[in-house]
């Protein structure tokens, strides 16, 4: 039995929640390996809807769920999320939940800096969620972060606070803000520490133990490959590596543990926030897709930008992340269109390109080249086999896998867990 790594193969918001929930019900452990509470998964289990930002999706079904060291952790957001889920009847304790003790913390000063920068950027803003993710990763790389393990040693925190505040006080001064209130910060950390520390442990060690026992591990990514800080539409990206290779570094297991890489791909394209979007539709079709697909962010509530499926981008993200197979979601949103389009290439200054160029100006200037296909009038919602799909919908799926040079492993036809066409079981690779 293989382990499975799940990543978003577009700009995030591909419907990972349902797929991860389905896989988590069959896994022995689920690990989040990057990002923070800027990512959201919506799970629909029976009549109950769960909205998760930090907690791995397995927690809803009682599966051992762990937050790896590659995540930046807002302890106050975590506490609020745990309390909300417990209010929905979910059991969360140190038997089924663990936090890597070397996770960097997101502090109030990170949220402050995030908001100040975005407000000052004007038209040049990145479109962050304002939750302090980027500044927290900066402090991690700058070797001045406060980590989960530090919460057990708050009496020894002053040297770290010296480094942290020397950096942040200078930045805050540039925004006409007062210095960091160190005493208030220490008090807040002292109040939240007992809650976080009850779950803190060397996650790498627990993972090694469960893997040695033959457990199936599900590595859960956040956002999408096009938001990867190296491989995405820079600078309009997140602050972590969202590719599958991060599962190894962000969890503490080696690269041979990541197993089957499942790329989640929406049957059309969306993105939230600023940045290039070659197939964006700013017309009635785009509005219809957005309304049918309920395209609003789980975490932010922001309306997503919508466009036709971009095979160039997905072929590129599948290659970069070593995707074994894709899970195609939301095909039912395309029901009823006379024709559907797929982007098969780009035109840039009379040059045809089969990949997304790295430079931001080139990304903004490219024009999509479309292939048009007949749509289907029948409903695909709730289909659970190929025979349940209209012929033109099957042709659309087949054309996508040809263009992205990656096979389809699953097709999702509604938010319900069981409305899935299983072509290849990732856990039985």
């Amino acid at each position: 039995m293989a382990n499975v790594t799940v990543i978003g193969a577009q700009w995030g918001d591909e419907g990972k929640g349902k797929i991860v929930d389905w896989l988590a019900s069959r896994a022995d452990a689920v690990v989040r390996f990057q990002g923070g509470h800027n990512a959201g998964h919506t799970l629909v289990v029976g009549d109950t809807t769960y909205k998760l930002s930090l907690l791995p999706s397995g927690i809803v079904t009682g599966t051992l769920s762990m937050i790896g060291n590659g995540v930046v952790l807002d302890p106050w957001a975590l506490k609020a999320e745990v309390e909300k889920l417990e209010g929905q009847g979910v059991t969360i304790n140190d038997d089924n939940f663990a936090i890597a003790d070397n996770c960097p913390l997101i502090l109030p000063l990170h949220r402050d800096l995030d908001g100040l920068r975005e407000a000052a950027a004007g038209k040049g803003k990145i479109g962050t969620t304002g939750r302090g993710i980027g500044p927290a990763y900066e402090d991690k790389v700058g070797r001045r972060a406060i980590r989960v393990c530090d919460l057990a040693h708050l009496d020894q925190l002053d040297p770290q606070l010296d480094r942290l505040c020397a950096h942040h006080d200078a930045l805050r001064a540039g925004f006409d803000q007062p210095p960091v209130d160190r005493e208030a910060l220490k008090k807040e950390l002292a109040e939240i520490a007992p809650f976080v520390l009850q779950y803190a442990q060397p996650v790498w060690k627990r993972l090694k133990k469960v893997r040695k026992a033959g457990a199936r591990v599900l590595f859960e990514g956040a956002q999408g490959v096009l938001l990867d800080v190296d491989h995405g539409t820079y600078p309009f990206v997140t602050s972590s590596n969202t590719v599958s290779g991060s599962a190894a570094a962000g969890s503490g297991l080696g690269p041979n543990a990541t197993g089957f890489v499942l790329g989640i791909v929406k049957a059309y394209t969306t993105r939230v926030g600023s940045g290039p979007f070659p197939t964006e539709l700013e017309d009635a079709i785009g509005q219809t897709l957005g309304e049918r697909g309920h395209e609003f962010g789980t975490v932010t509530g922001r309306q997503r930008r919508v466009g036709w499926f971009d095979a160039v981008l997905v072929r590129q993200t599948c290659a970069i992340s070593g995707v074994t197979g894709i899970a195609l979601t939301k095909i039912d949103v395309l029901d009823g269109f006379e024709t559907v389009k797929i982007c098969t290439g780009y035109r840039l200054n009379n040059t045809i390109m089969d990949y997304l160029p790295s430079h931001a100006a080139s990304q903004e200037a490219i024009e999509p080249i479309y292939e048009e296909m007949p749509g289907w009038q029948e409903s695909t919602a709730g289909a659970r086999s190929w025979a349940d799909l209209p012929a033109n919908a099957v042709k659309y799926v087949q054309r996508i896998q040809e263009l992205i040079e990656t096979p389809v492993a699953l097709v999702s036809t509604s938010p319900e867990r069981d409305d899935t066409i299983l072509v290849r079981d990732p856990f039985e690779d």
Side-chain angles (χ1 to χ4, degrees):
M1 295 296 237
N3 294 334
V4 178
T5 300
V6 175
I7 52 107
Q10 292 157 308
W11 275 290
D13 309 311
E14 301 95 350
K16 290 189 291 295
K18 169 197 163 168
I19 305 297
V20 169
D21 172 52
W22 180 76
L23 290 167
S25 68
R26 303 166 63 236
D28 301 298
V30 184
V31 190
R32 267 285 304 273
F33 59 84
Q34 50 75 223
H37 65 309
N38 56 339
H41 288 168
T42 299
L43 310 182
V44 180
V45 182
D47 296 328
T48 307
T49 298
Y50 303 95
K51 293 185 180 292
L52 307 179
S53 296
L54 261 174
L55 290 166
S57 300
I59 201 71
V60 171
T61 51
T63 305
L64 173 60
S65 299
M66 293 178 262
I67 293 178
N69 57 275
V71 172
V72 283
L73 183 82
D74 183 321
W76 299 277
L78 175 70
K79 186 171 188 290
E81 189 171 326
V82 167
E83 289 172 348
K84 182 180 178 183
L85 284 181
E86 286 179 336
Q88 292 183 280
V90 177
T91 299
I92 301 172
N93 53 45
D94 57 4
D95 284 332
N96 66 3
F97 180 52
I99 302 169
D101 58 1
N102 51 345
C103 254
L105 297 179
I106 299 174
L107 305 173
L109 56 86
H110 294 131
R111 295 194 298 269
D112 292 345
L113 181 57
D114 206 349
L116 290 166
R117 282 174 171 168
E118 282 289 273
K123 291 183 179 179
K125 64 175 58 177
I126 301 297
T128 77
T129 57
R131 297 181 176 221
I133 312 297
Y137 273 117
E138 288 175 40
D139 282 347
K140 171 186 175 177
V141 176
R143 293 165 293 185
R144 53 183 172 264
I146 294 173
R147 303 188 298 171
V148 168
C149 55
D150 295 319
L151 294 175
H153 303 276
L154 292 177
D155 57 337
Q156 300 170 2
L157 199 61
D158 281 332
Q160 286 166 267
L161 284 175
D162 289 342
R163 291 195 298 275
L164 186 71
C165 292
H167 177 78
H168 280 271
D169 285 348
L171 290 172
R172 292 169 70 93
F175 289 107
D176 292 324
Q177 298 295 308
V180 174
D181 187 333
R182 290 175 57 145
E183 293 309 311
L185 177 58
K186 284 200 283 189
K187 183 180 178 182
E188 287 182 277
L189 290 172
E191 289 172 351
I192 199 69
F195 174 80
V196 177
L197 289 173
Q198 66 182 313
Y199 305 115
Q201 59 185 271
V203 155
W204 68 267
K205 190 173 181 181
R206 189 159 182 185
L207 271 172
K208 181 183 177 184
K209 182 179 179 181
V210 299
R211 192 176 177 225
K212 193 173 182 180
R216 290 178 293 190
V217 181
L218 176 63
F219 298 93
E220 178 182 352
Q223 290 100 19
V225 176
L226 292 168
L227 292 176
D228 185 278
V229 70
D230 287 314
H231 299 288
T233 48
Y234 192 90
F236 302 100
V237 293
T238 194
S239 300
S240 61
N241 286 111
T242 60
V243 294
S244 61
S246 301
S251 67
L253 279 178
N256 64 336
T258 52
F260 188 109
V261 179
L262 184 67
I264 314 299
V265 178
K266 195 177 287 183
Y268 49 102
T269 312
T270 64
R271 81 170 296 174
V272 172
S274 307
F277 186 169
T279 66
E280 184 171 12
L281 294 168
E282 298 181 273
D283 57 11
I285 292 175
Q287 186 172 345
T288 299
L289 285 171
E291 289 171 355
R292 285 188 188 174
H294 306 291
E295 296 299 347
F296 296 90
T298 299
V299 169
T300 64
R302 290 186 293 178
Q303 186 169 355
R304 297 174 187 142
R305 299 156 64 192
V306 179
W308 291 119
F309 186 85
D310 192 330
V312 182
L313 289 182
V314 177
R315 181 170 62 242
Q316 185 164 326
T317 59
C318 285
I320 288 166
S321 257
V323 171
T324 316
I326 69 163
L328 190 67
T329 67
K330 290 197 167 185
I331 191 169
D332 52 303
V333 176
L334 296 176
D335 292 353
F337 284 98
E338 289 292 329
T339 58
V340 289
K341 293 182 181 181
I342 300 176
C343 175
T344 59
Y346 301 135
R347 186 176 285 106
L348 178 65
N349 300 327
N350 296 318
T351 300
I352 305 300
M353 306 187 73
D354 62 356
Y355 68 98
L356 183 73
S358 296
H359 196 269
S362 297
Q363 291 176 355
E364 198 66 54
I366 55 177
E367 298 176 8
I369 299 168
Y370 287 116
E371 177 178 305
E372 196 163 323
M373 299 182 67
W376 52 93
Q377 303 307 306
E378 309 93 323
S379 174
T380 62
R384 298 184 181 183
S385 71
W386 287 118
D388 295 334
L389 290 180
N392 284 347
V394 174
K395 290 176 183 176
Y396 181 76
V397 175
Q398 289 174 336
R399 185 59 179 144
I400 282 175
Q401 66 179 358
E402 288 171 6
L403 289 168
I404 67 173
E405 299 171 4
T406 308
V408 172
L410 304 166
V411 180
S412 170
T413 57
S414 93
E416 295 295 331
R417 184 193 289 178
D418 294 332
D419 289 343
T420 303
I421 300 168
L422 179 62
V423 183
R424 181 180 178 186
D425 189 338
F427 272 126
E428 294 184 358
D429 182 47

